[in-house]
Amino acid sequence: MPRTDQTEIKLRIVIEQPVPGVLHSLQSKDDAPLDPKRSKAGEPLAFEFPVRIGPGPKFFGDQVRREGSERRFVYIRIGQSAGDAASPWSRRMKIDIHDIAQDLLDRAMRGGVIETVVNGTAKDGTPACASLKPTGRRFVELS
């Protein structure tokens, strides 16, 4: 699909209640950690990045991964996967983006950011991983 048929929007993933001290990062196209950060005392971590939207909608960008013909998602790397060789964890969060509501996409195409919130701690107290259901998703105006 030509890029002329695509519109760039901003997405933000907020990890609430991450395990303190554990490194998190986005995963880039080359599988390298990107924008690594860690929570000191459980404060939220936020990752903001651009994606391109085409008709369908279809999603494109350095952080966008695909599974099958429709599923699109973003990985958040955790622990060793995020670049911390001393971490006891090597995990990834998989956060779906193909299911973002069309009204949020329409608003983001005019400016602003779509924010998806996930819980960063699993029931056993370790970093959450695998496919995570958002605890919230909203449009945020940029000032």
Side-chain angles (χ1 to χ4, degrees):
M1 174 178 303
R3 285 192 182 215
T4 56
D5 294 341
Q6 301 171 16
T7 302
E8 187 172 283
I9 66 168
K10 290 185 181 187
L11 296 183
R12 178 184 302 144
I13 295 174
V14 176
I15 302 168
E16 288 188 334
Q17 301 172 333
V19 175
V22 177
L23 193 64
H24 291 68
S25 72
L26 285 169
Q27 181 171 311
S28 64
K29 276 270 196 234
D30 63 3
D31 290 335
L34 179 66
D35 192 21
K37 44 186 88 171
R38 67 180 87 226
S39 174
K40 291 181 182 176
E43 67 276 3
L45 301 174
F47 296 93
E48 195 167 303
F49 53 95
V51 299
R52 296 181 317 279
I53 306 286
K58 298 222 182 267
F59 296 84
F60 305 92
D62 287 345
Q63 280 67 53
V64 177
R65 299 290 175 273
R66 61 184 292 155
E67 188 175 281
S69 62
E70 295 192 23
R71 188 174 190 192
R72 300 296 179 268
F73 57 91
V74 173
Y75 277 130
I76 300 290
R77 300 178 124 206
I78 302 165
Q80 293 174 21
S81 295
D84 182 358
S87 176
W89 298 289
S90 183
R91 298 179 174 180
R92 292 188 300 187
M93 294 178 178
K94 186 185 243 184
I95 301 165
D96 286 328
I97 61 172
H98 66 275
D99 58 354
I100 296 174
Q102 186 63 52
D103 67 312
L104 291 176
L105 294 172
D106 292 341
R107 292 176 73 188
M109 285 189 240
R110 295 188 298 269
V113 63
I114 297 173
E115 183 178 271
T116 299
V117 179
V118 296
N119 188 324
T121 301
K123 290 180 183 178
D124 65 0
T126 65
C129 62
S131 294
L132 298 181
K133 298 275 186 215
T135 59
R137 185 170 273 155
R138 67 187 181 126
F139 175 78
V140 178
E141 296 275 349
L142 295 178
S143 44

